[in-house]
Amino acid sequence: MRKIIVRNVGPIKDAQLELKKINILIGQQSTGKSTLAKIACYCSWVEKEISIAQSPAAFDAKNYFADNLTKFHKLSGYLSKQSVITFTSEALSFEYANNRFSFQWNEGRLNYRRSKTLYIPAERNIISVIPNWFEVNLEFNNTRSFLADWETVRKYFSKENPLSILNIGKYYHNTSDNSDHIITKENKDILMESASSGLQTLVPLQALIQYYGYDYYNVGLKWKESNVNMQKKMYRLYENILYQLLNSLSDEEKAAWESKKTKIFKENNDISLLPEEVRRGLIFPNPEIENQYTKIASRFQYPSSTAFFIEEPELNLYPVAQYKLVNILVKMVNDMNHSLFITTHSPYILTSLNNLIYAGEVGKQHHKETDHVVPHNLWISKDHVSAWKIDADKNMLENLQADDLSILRAEELDDVSEIINNKFGELFEIAHQSKE
């Protein structure tokens, strides 16, 4: 279970979020949706950095936590002395309050499972609006990070391996001239910069979903993403993991192991000539410690899932396309055990998710009939969903999950329809009065 508390950050006065598999945040513009998404994303990254280092030392430096948050997520001026950010997971807990960072390990310190944190901003059409974006010298922030991910992903989808975009067409990258292309349903090849605004925002989103939702794990691409700095971190991590496991031994077990090692070193001038099993015994006191070490190290070394943070997936999309996109996102989460955090203004996104939550509940008693209407791989368990609305007047969160129902509170999904319908009713009355 992972929880975040945010107080007095930008427009947010008080927000407490329990992060689950699927997280939905709605609200009017400028109420703090993106602020909360950015903080949730940042806290996930901090958890990863501390877990891999097995130390919070970097964040103990003065203003390190706040400076990285405000610079990377472009939140300059959002923090004050009254700001509080608290994060709790099975592995660790930390708090930023009174301009200071504090930290503690939790019981599940070695149970951490590494995930890739991916923030997909609303301004993702920058890849088409600025064709030479790769030549622009940008500060390292979430936009630059998104572009770096896009640079990796775009090269993966070649003309021989194009990406299908809903039922609209296909995307591919031409490495010879570094250009991006769309093949339409009519089999016309057009440059991405000439495509519709809907495609310009949809293509990078769906490409990142396909790559980091499926291919990154299924095709083994995650093994290729490594660098010298990360390798150094891994070496330190392995030493730390082994140190903690060895500390779990009793004094008698430690003494017996040390005695055994001393004897081996005394009797053998060249350890490299010893059988592998004997050499492993110099590192691990018993098979149980070795097995624990192997399992823990593998969870830390490479991501096993992706945490997607997506701003306004509905941008420039027709309602039918929004509905199809929701199905793609949910199927990915269910297939691959990823997590999803979306901010949205769209009632179509919300009602589409609501149907899938309801299908998950109805399917418990009527599996076959429900599967015929909504495929089983699209069902969402209500226990895997957190949904909130930001109150525009109070700048606080309202829980959208009804206590007595298996769906989100419908009256919150499309609060403008009542206003529109009331106005239409008044106009209708005026029109008929004039005829009497």
Side-chain angles (χ1 to χ4, degrees):
M1 185 169 59
R2 303 164 82 232
K3 291 184 177 181
I4 295 177
I5 299 173
V6 179
R7 295 192 179 102
N8 302 315
V9 178
I12 300 299
K13 299 303 180 188
D14 190 348
Q16 299 187 40
L17 300 79
E18 182 178 344
L19 298 179
K20 297 185 179 180
K21 215 172 179 184
I22 296 177
N23 306 280
I24 312 153
L25 186 57
I26 69 171
Q28 297 181 26
Q29 58 278 358
S30 302
T31 53
K33 296 187 305 300
S34 294
T35 301
L36 284 177
K38 290 173 179 178
I39 291 173
C41 179
Y42 181 68
C43 287
S44 295
W45 175 80
V46 172
E47 180 189 29
K48 181 195 73 172
E49 290 295 300
I50 293 177
S51 294
I52 290 176
Q54 283 294 291
S55 169
F59 294 89
D60 287 335
K62 186 177 180 181
N63 298 328
Y64 186 86
F65 179 89
D67 287 348
N68 275 275
L69 171 61
T70 55
K71 289 177 182 177
F72 186 81
H73 283 296
K74 296 174 283 188
L75 295 175
S76 178
Y78 277 57
L79 296 179
S80 67
K81 194 171 183 180
Q82 288 72 44
S83 296
V84 175
I85 298 173
T86 301
F87 175 85
T88 302
S89 72
E90 183 185 5
L92 53 81
S93 299
F94 60 78
E95 181 177 74
Y96 175 79
N98 298 313
N99 296 332
R100 292 186 176 184
F101 180 83
S102 57
F103 166 88
Q104 71 174 34
W105 289 111
N106 293 335
E107 289 185 5
R109 175 178 181 175
L110 294 181
N111 294 335
Y112 173 75
R113 289 183 178 273
R114 184 176 171 184
S115 66
K116 178 173 179 61
T117 303
L118 191 65
Y119 195 88
I120 305 178
E123 58 269 24
R124 49 191 172 270
N125 66 338
I126 187 176
I127 63 169
S128 301
V129 175
I130 307 176
N132 63 332
W133 54 265
F134 43 84
E135 298 175 358
V136 179
N137 186 20
L138 295 173
E139 292 184 8
F140 188 71
N141 52 36
N142 59 20
T143 302
R144 182 65 208 173
S145 179
F146 159 73
L147 290 174
D149 287 324
W150 169 246
E151 182 65 12
T152 298
V153 170
R154 68 199 289 242
K155 293 176 181 177
Y156 177 72
F157 296 106
S158 62
K159 196 167 187 177
E160 295 71 34
N161 178 41
L163 172 71
S164 294
I165 305 295
L166 297 183
N167 62 340
I168 301 171
K170 296 181 179 180
Y171 160 80
Y172 76 91
H173 175 70
N174 187 343
T175 55
S176 63
D177 61 1
N178 208 30
S179 58
D180 298 307
H181 296 251
I182 299 293
I183 300 176
T184 68
K185 289 190 295 184
E186 295 77 24
N187 210 33
K188 292 182 179 179
D189 191 319
I190 62 173
L191 288 171
M192 184 107 113
E193 61 194 74
S194 301
S196 68
S197 59
L199 277 171
Q200 290 179 0
T201 53
L202 178 60
V203 166
L205 174 56
Q206 199 169 340
L208 288 164
I209 290 169
Q210 178 62 39
Y211 186 90
Y212 285 113
Y214 291 100
D215 298 351
Y216 184 70
Y217 301 94
N218 292 340
V219 186
L221 296 169
K222 67 179 182 179
W223 311 114
K224 298 180 181 180
E225 288 195 9
S226 184
N227 54 56
V228 174
N229 287 335
M230 182 54 69
Q231 289 172 3
K232 289 180 179 178
K233 286 183 179 180
M234 288 297 111
Y235 292 143
R236 291 194 295 268
L237 170 66
Y238 300 151
E239 291 176 356
N240 204 299
I241 291 173
L242 184 56
Y243 175 78
Q244 291 181 64
L245 291 174
L246 294 178
N247 276 343
S248 67
L249 297 172
S250 67
D251 291 340
E252 292 78 9
E253 288 172 320
K254 289 179 183 178
W257 182 48
E258 289 298 333
S259 176
K260 180 181 177 181
K261 288 196 298 179
T262 300
K263 183 179 179 182
I264 292 174
F265 281 117
K266 190 174 181 179
E267 296 176 351
N268 297 274
N269 294 324
D270 191 347
I271 302 300
S272 65
L273 298 177
L274 292 173
E276 182 182 350
E277 183 177 347
V278 176
R279 283 185 279 122
R280 285 208 308 270
L282 296 172
I283 303 172
F284 305 105
N286 56 56
E288 183 181 353
I289 292 291
E290 182 177 2
N291 290 336
Q292 282 184 283
Y293 172 84
T294 302
K295 290 178 181 179
I296 293 170
S298 65
R299 292 201 302 264
F300 279 76
Q301 184 173 13
Y302 294 104
S304 59
S305 64
T306 301
F308 288 90
F309 294 83
I310 305 174
E311 283 190 281
E312 301 174 31
E314 72 273 9
L315 280 178
N316 300 323
L317 296 181
Y318 192 68
V320 172
Q322 295 182 38
Y323 162 78
K324 292 179 178 179
L325 179 59
V326 166
N327 287 350
I328 288 173
L329 288 168
V330 171
K331 183 177 183 300
M332 173 199 67
V333 169
N334 286 342
D335 286 348
M336 303 296 292
N337 201 32
H338 300 308
S339 64
L340 178 66
F341 191 118
I342 63 173
T343 65
T344 182
H345 297 121
S346 172
Y348 304 110
I349 294 286
L350 290 163
T351 50
S352 296
L353 286 167
N354 222 14
N355 278 356
L356 302 184
I357 295 170
Y358 193 45
E361 194 64 20
V362 175
K364 292 178 181 179
Q365 301 295 326
H366 309 282
H367 190 284
K368 186 176 180 180
E369 298 92 330
T370 306
D371 186 57
H372 182 71
V373 178
V374 178
H376 179 261
N377 60 3
L378 295 178
W379 298 359
I380 302 174
S381 168
K382 64 177 182 179
D383 296 329
H384 293 161
V385 178
S386 284
W388 313 276
K389 178 181 180 180
I390 299 182
D391 186 305
D393 297 321
K394 301 177 181 177
N395 292 109
M396 298 174 69
L397 290 185
E398 297 177 5
N399 190 349
L400 289 182
Q401 291 182 291
D403 294 332
D404 55 341
L405 298 173
S406 301
I407 56 176
L408 307 182
R409 298 208 315 268
E411 68 273 13
E412 301 291 349
L413 301 184
D414 188 13
D415 48 9
V416 72
S417 291
E418 183 179 355
I419 298 172
I420 294 172
N421 290 336
N422 288 341
K423 292 296 181 184
F424 181 84
E426 292 177 24
L427 293 172
F428 186 82
E429 288 183 10
I430 293 173
H432 281 69
Q433 285 175 0
S434 63
K435 292 179 182 180
E436 293 177 358

